[in-house]
């Protein structure tokens, strides 16, 4: 297998644009790409532009009538059919929507193909991670579910065990729904509690369809306000043990940056340092349990200057084997570009100054009166026995 890493990138993905007043500003993608360049990471990783996902690929997950509705809205946004979630406040229709959504999906599918076939050990598509799209509906800023499509292609190519880990602040509901009945896919989502955040799903009791798929959906519903120590404690109390038990052939991860304390759409209090720590942990899990096969995707993130570009540049650097130290100063040329494009002042360093992030190991004991520990316990009790593990 090749030791190379790939960065999936086509400048046209920045056309995924719901309009000037929408929080998902595509500048977050272009600024990430420029920061990757400023660190010279594009010389350490193979940059690949995959082709857009064709209709047969999209239909691995999405219904034929839904794809037709997206195409129609793409040609005439005024005709968008809201029964498919199109033309709503969250998912406004725009000209060319089908083409750019299929292009983003194609990058994730291409990443999965490269990793499975051994063309690359790791592959990153930070424009992807659009995890809310359902088989027959757009949802939560997501038109096509590229994460689900990447996993579906892995299964089509012969994969028998895939683990999907989603650390976006929002529940990875679309991916869970796509593989709810499929015992070949273990979906794990850590997210803000559904009582306080869209999409109001992702309760610990959601554990997969009865029968062979029981215990293949895992949800850790974190209390609003959870910070670095709690977030990392929850991740390490749940994810590694399940990954070890499932023995995936490929690890697919989604790294929404909206867990950050500056994100305007959610209520966790996680730093860039903790986000980086989870990225490192996912990389290590891929090597320990999946022979290094790792497909890493972006996701949410609406602090589009201060947070997203730095977080996903760390992700690219880790995949490329050229980690950027947390204390590293942000390149001046990137700071100048940020100001020229956004009239905002760019951050000065690559994290929030909290490295190394400390957290308490679950194995050392837990506090049943602590809200974070209650959340972890709820998940472990719901799913671990279904997987033959001690809760």
């Amino acid at each position: 297998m090749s030791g190379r890493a790939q960065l999936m990138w086509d400048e046209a993905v920045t056309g995924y644009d719901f309009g000037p007043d929408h929080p998902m500003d595509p500048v977050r993608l272009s600024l990430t790409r420029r920061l990757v360049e400023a660190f010279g990471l594009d010389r350490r990783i193979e940059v690949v532009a995959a082709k857009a996902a064709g209709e047969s690929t999209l239909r691995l997950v999405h219904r034929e009538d839904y794809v037709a509705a997206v195409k129609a809205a793409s040609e005439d946004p005024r005709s968008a059919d809201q029964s498919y979630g199109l033309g709503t406040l969250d998912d406004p229709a725009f000209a060319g929507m089908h083409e750019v959504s299929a292009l983003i999906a194609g990058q994730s599918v291409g990443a999965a193909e490269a990793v499975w076939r051994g063309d690359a050990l790791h592959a990153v598509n930070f424009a992807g991670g659009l995890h809310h799209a359902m088989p027959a509906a757009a949802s939560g800023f997501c038109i096509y579910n590229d994460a689900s499509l990447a996993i579906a292609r892995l299964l089509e190519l012969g994969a028998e065990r895939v683990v999907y880990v989603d650390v976006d602040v929002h529940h990875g509901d679309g991916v869970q729904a796509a593989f709810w009945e499929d015992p070949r896919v273990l979906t794990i989502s850590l997210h803000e509690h559904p009582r306080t955040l869209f999409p109001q799903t992702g309760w610990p009791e959601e554990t997969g369809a009865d029968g062979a798929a029981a215990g293949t959906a895992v949800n850790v519903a974190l209390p609003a306000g959870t910070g670095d120590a709690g977030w990392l404690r929850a991740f390490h109390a749940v994810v590694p043990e399940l990954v070890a038990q499932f023995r995936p052939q490929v690890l697919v991860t989604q790294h929404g940056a909206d867990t950050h304390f500056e994100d305007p759409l959610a209520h966790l209090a996680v730093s860039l340092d903790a986000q980086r720590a989870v990225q490192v942990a996912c990389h290590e899990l891929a090597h320990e349990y999946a022979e290094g096969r790792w497909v890493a995707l972006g996701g949410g993130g609406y602090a589009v200057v201060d947070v997203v570009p730095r977080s996903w540049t760390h992700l690219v650097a880790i995949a490329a084997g050229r980690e950027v130290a947390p204390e590293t100063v942000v390149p001046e040329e990137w700071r100048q570009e940020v100001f020229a494009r956004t009239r905002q002042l760019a951050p000065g360093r690559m994290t929030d100054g909290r490295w190394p992030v400390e957290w308490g190991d679950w194995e050392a004991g837990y506090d049943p009166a602590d809200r974070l520990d209650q959340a972890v316990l709820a998940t472990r009790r719901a799913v671990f026995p279904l997987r033959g593990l001690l809760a």
Side-chain angles (χ1 to χ4, degrees):
M1 178 181 291
S2 169
R4 295 180 303 169
Q6 289 186 0
L7 171 61
M8 316 305 294
W9 178 256
D10 185 318
E11 198 73 31
V13 300
T14 60
Y16 193 80
D17 188 351
F18 291 115
D21 299 322
H22 196 282
M24 191 177 243
D25 188 337
V27 76
R28 68 196 195 123
L29 302 179
S30 53
L31 288 179
T32 301
R33 180 70 176 92
R34 300 292 91 76
L35 187 55
V36 166
E37 287 178 1
F39 278 109
L41 294 171
D42 55 330
R43 298 191 297 273
R44 304 289 187 178
I45 194 168
E46 183 182 10
V47 181
V48 176
K51 64 181 181 180
E55 186 159 341
S56 62
T57 296
L58 294 173
R59 288 173 60 187
L60 291 173
V61 168
H62 294 289
R63 273 185 5 200
E64 183 178 7
D65 57 320
Y66 174 64
V67 175
V70 174
K71 288 182 174 180
S74 185
E75 293 173 4
D76 179 7
R78 294 170 299 178
S79 72
D81 187 340
Q82 292 198 4
S83 69
Y84 290 103
L86 302 168
T88 62
L89 287 175
D90 273 2
D91 298 282
F94 60 92
M97 179 173 64
H98 164 74
E99 288 76 14
V100 69
S101 300
L103 182 63
I104 291 172
Q107 306 314 302
S108 292
V109 170
E113 291 172 342
V115 168
W116 183 254
R117 291 171 176 162
D119 297 334
L121 195 59
H122 312 322
V124 181
N125 176 25
F126 58 73
L130 304 178
H131 60 168
H132 294 306
M134 293 292 177
S139 178
F141 314 162
C142 305
I143 306 301
Y144 293 138
N145 196 316
D146 65 284
S148 293
L149 288 164
I151 295 168
R153 177 54 57 85
L154 288 168
L155 299 178
E156 188 178 48
L157 292 173
E160 297 175 345
R161 295 181 309 282
V162 179
V163 168
Y164 171 76
V165 177
D166 188 319
V167 296
D168 193 289
V169 78
H170 302 90
H171 177 225
D173 58 338
V175 185
Q176 175 179 287
F179 301 104
W180 183 254
E181 299 178 350
D182 195 329
R184 297 173 296 175
V185 182
L186 176 67
T187 64
I188 308 173
S189 178
L190 285 80
H191 46 266
E192 184 179 328
H193 201 286
R195 286 197 192 96
T196 54
L197 195 66
F198 174 90
Q200 283 78 52
T201 59
W203 299 79
E205 296 79 16
E206 298 171 31
T207 57
D210 292 340
T216 58
V218 184
N219 290 288
V220 187
L222 300 169
T226 296
D228 289 358
W231 194 61
L232 289 171
R233 176 173 170 80
F235 178 93
H236 287 283
V238 172
V239 177
E241 196 169 350
L242 288 170
V243 173
Q245 189 276 333
F246 201 76
R247 298 181 298 111
Q249 293 159 298
V250 186
L251 183 66
V252 180
T253 58
Q254 196 267 24
H255 297 271
D258 42 9
T259 52
H260 195 271
F261 56 77
E262 288 186 17
D263 196 274
L265 299 189
H267 318 97
L268 295 192
V270 173
S271 72
L272 273 154
D273 301 85
Q275 291 179 348
R276 181 182 181 277
V278 160
Q279 294 166 3
V280 169
C282 288
H283 179 225
E284 292 173 348
L285 287 171
H287 278 281
E288 189 167 358
Y289 298 111
E291 298 183 11
R293 298 187 190 95
W294 183 31
V295 177
L297 309 173
Y302 309 100
V304 298
V305 170
D306 285 350
V307 177
V308 175
R310 289 188 293 166
S311 186
W312 292 347
T313 295
H314 279 298
L315 183 64
V316 173
I318 291 162
R322 296 291 188 275
E323 292 187 20
V324 175
E327 65 274 10
T328 303
V329 174
V330 173
E332 180 59 30
E333 65 265 33
W334 186 77
R335 290 169 53 84
Q336 292 175 4
E337 179 165 356
V338 166
F339 187 76
R341 295 191 60 170
T342 69
R343 289 297 183 259
Q344 295 185 44
L345 295 177
R349 296 186 183 274
M350 279 300 288
T351 62
D352 298 314
R354 298 185 181 182
W355 194 268
V357 182
E358 297 182 355
W359 49 275
D361 190 342
W362 187 258
E363 297 302 319
Y366 59 85
D367 179 0
D370 181 81
R371 291 175 66 219
L372 186 281
D373 283 3
Q374 288 171 0
V376 172
L377 274 171
T379 300
R380 290 178 63 99
R381 287 171 176 167
V383 77
F384 273 43
L386 296 173
R387 301 227 55 83
L389 301 170
L390 294 175

